[in-house]
Amino acid sequence: MTSLSARVVAYASVREFVPLYGLYALLFEDHGLDTRSISSLFVLWSVVAFVSEVPSGAWADTVSRRGLLFGSGALLTAAFTMWLVWPGYWGFALGFVLWGISESMKSGTFEALVYDELAARGCEHRYAAIMGYANAGEMTCVFVAILTAAPLFELGGYALVGWVSVAITVVDIALVGTLPAAPKVEEADEIAGRGDTVLVRYMSSLRAGTSEIRTDRVVRRSVVLAAALLACLAFDEYFALLAHESGAETGFVPVLVALTAVGQVVGAATAGRTATMSGRTMGAVVIVGSALIAGGALAGGIAGFTAIGVGYGALHNTAIVAEARLQDTMSGRARATVSSVVGLTSEVLSVAVFAAYAIGSLWLPMAALVAVTVLPLVGLGVVAPRLLPAARPAGTERER
């Protein structure tokens, strides 16, 4: 288990060690894009991701999951490279198209690979803890990467920040080879014995996953909750602009954004401890976290971004717990497909968030926009007790 955890955390963490994360919104702004144009790029990113989300999840239930992760890494490398060699609206747009496809290939695939590997070892109850550590590793790397963006920018501007980010993605591609080739619920040799083609297996996985969501109320509610909580994490795309609007210099913006990453690290690392939280507790956490984000956005400065970090960390924790409960509720025959539906739904909700920012920016400053757009989370906190499945005791299976 220690070896598995280390490999999972290493892969997930290095993928997020991208200094460009702390400055790419400013990269766009400094190349002549306004908030509406930047929001249109985020919308394009989400649209591409959700169009390819479920199909890629079905492929992950059909072909090599590690193979898809290799492809995902290669597309991510190409995306950031595109921004550097073609720094204009259409170059940024093409980069987001590649990034969106890359994320859809990873989303669902990685989670299913880890869960099925744990299931093969009889350790499914460790999923929330391991994914929590992986997410904490991701956020730690985001934090460190964002902090390194400031000195890198001072040394070589956006070019140095960007090419270091590209190099990191190449390292992460190599780490895919260390991940286990987790067995699927339906073994490959059984499929081969039936003589099914890849297309037949793909369609079968797609039908199985979508059917499970349609026919199983618990799975369906879990998908909605996990997707809504994941969509909450779309706000961070605007944190750099929020910091800049509040008067922070470009070199100090990454420091403020990094404060939000600290909160996410703590929230993710404690997911193993909060994995058995009740729906009522989750609802309360979501409401309090939302209030902290709204208040922090209006306050601004170090204190404001610290509050945002605490609230964001709380939401990040609930998102991991909700996704772990979803994994427990699935039959497992099309695990990556069902997980990809979560990604699809969250991307649709993210598009709504980006659209709200694009339209709202015509009348409201960024601080007010952040405060207003977290209000729907209060409603999510109210209905969370109905949507979150009860925690499953270790070593037991859900009755169907």
Side-chain angles (χ1 to χ4, degrees):
M1 288 299 299
T2 301
S3 173
L4 174 62
S5 298
R7 286 178 284 162
V8 168
V9 171
Y11 164 75
S13 301
V14 173
R15 184 180 172 100
E16 299 302 319
F17 193 84
V18 180
L20 196 54
Y21 284 172
L23 291 175
Y24 69 74
L26 299 184
L27 169 67
F28 303 155
E29 188 175 60
D30 287 347
H31 280 81
L33 277 63
D34 58 17
T35 300
R36 283 174 291 173
S37 298
I38 294 172
S39 293
S40 72
L41 291 176
F42 293 155
V43 169
L44 174 65
W45 183 23
S46 290
V47 168
V48 171
F50 76 65
V51 167
S52 56
E53 184 73 52
V54 175
S56 66
W59 279 120
D61 286 322
T62 307
V63 300
S64 167
R65 288 172 179 166
R66 283 196 302 186
L68 286 179
L69 293 179
F70 273 119
S72 173
L75 288 176
L76 188 61
T77 300
F80 295 148
T81 300
M82 184 58 61
W83 288 356
L84 298 173
V85 300
W86 191 5
Y89 181 86
W90 293 110
F92 297 145
L94 181 54
F96 270 121
V97 169
L98 296 173
W99 193 357
I101 297 173
S102 170
E103 285 300 303
S104 68
M105 290 172 68
K106 176 181 177 288
S107 174
T109 304
F110 180 58
E111 291 84 353
L113 184 149
V114 174
Y115 194 91
D116 277 350
E117 179 66 21
L118 290 172
R121 301 172 182 224
C123 298
E124 300 97 319
H125 62 283
R126 293 287 299 159
Y127 178 82
I130 290 179
M131 292 306 291
Y133 294 144
N135 276 269
E138 290 175 352
M139 292 302 103
T140 300
C141 282
V142 168
F143 172 74
V144 175
I146 288 174
L147 289 181
T148 62
L152 287 174
F153 181 80
E154 294 298 326
L155 287 173
Y158 290 118
L160 182 58
V161 175
W163 287 116
V164 169
S165 300
V166 169
I168 293 296
T169 64
V170 174
V171 173
D172 195 56
I173 293 173
L175 288 175
V176 175
T178 69
L179 297 176
K184 300 181 179 66
V185 171
E186 190 173 21
E187 296 293 345
D189 55 354
E190 294 179 11
I191 297 173
R194 296 201 308 264
D196 289 349
T197 65
V198 171
L199 180 59
V200 170
R201 301 201 307 266
Y202 171 81
M203 295 304 298
S204 176
S205 296
L206 189 60
R207 285 194 298 269
T210 54
S211 175
E212 184 168 10
I213 296 171
R214 288 196 313 270
T215 60
D216 192 316
R217 183 175 59 183
V218 176
V219 171
R220 186 167 59 251
R221 288 179 175 177
S222 298
V223 166
V224 171
L225 178 62
L229 288 171
L230 288 172
C232 298
L233 306 182
F235 299 131
D236 63 358
E237 303 299 337
Y238 295 93
F239 286 166
L241 298 177
L242 175 65
H244 208 239
E245 179 188 80
S246 65
E249 296 293 332
T250 299
F252 190 65
V253 166
V255 177
L256 292 179
V257 176
L259 291 175
T260 68
V262 173
Q264 293 182 73
V265 169
V266 176
T270 55
R273 295 180 179 275
T274 61
T276 58
M277 74 168 68
S278 66
R280 183 172 298 179
T281 299
M282 178 174 286
V285 172
V286 170
I287 292 173
V288 172
S290 303
L292 286 170
I293 294 173
L298 294 174
I302 293 177
F305 272 82
T306 299
I308 292 174
V310 174
Y312 222 59
L315 293 180
H316 201 76
N317 180 280
T318 60
I320 295 172
V321 172
E323 200 271 331
R325 296 284 179 88
L326 171 62
Q327 294 289 342
D328 284 339
T329 65
M330 297 182 205
S331 66
R333 288 181 56 82
R335 186 174 303 283
T337 304
V338 176
S339 295
S340 289
V341 172
V342 174
L344 166 66
T345 309
S346 68
E347 290 295 346
V348 171
L349 295 175
S350 295
V351 168
V353 172
F354 297 147
Y357 275 82
I359 296 172
S361 65
L362 296 173
W363 300 283
L364 298 174
M366 187 59 63
L369 275 175
V370 173
V372 169
T373 50
V374 298
L375 290 179
L377 298 181
V378 175
L380 180 61
V382 172
V383 300
R386 292 190 59 197
L387 299 178
L388 183 70
R392 195 181 77 187
T396 64
E397 294 185 1
R398 177 192 159 205
E399 294 183 2
R400 295 185 177 274

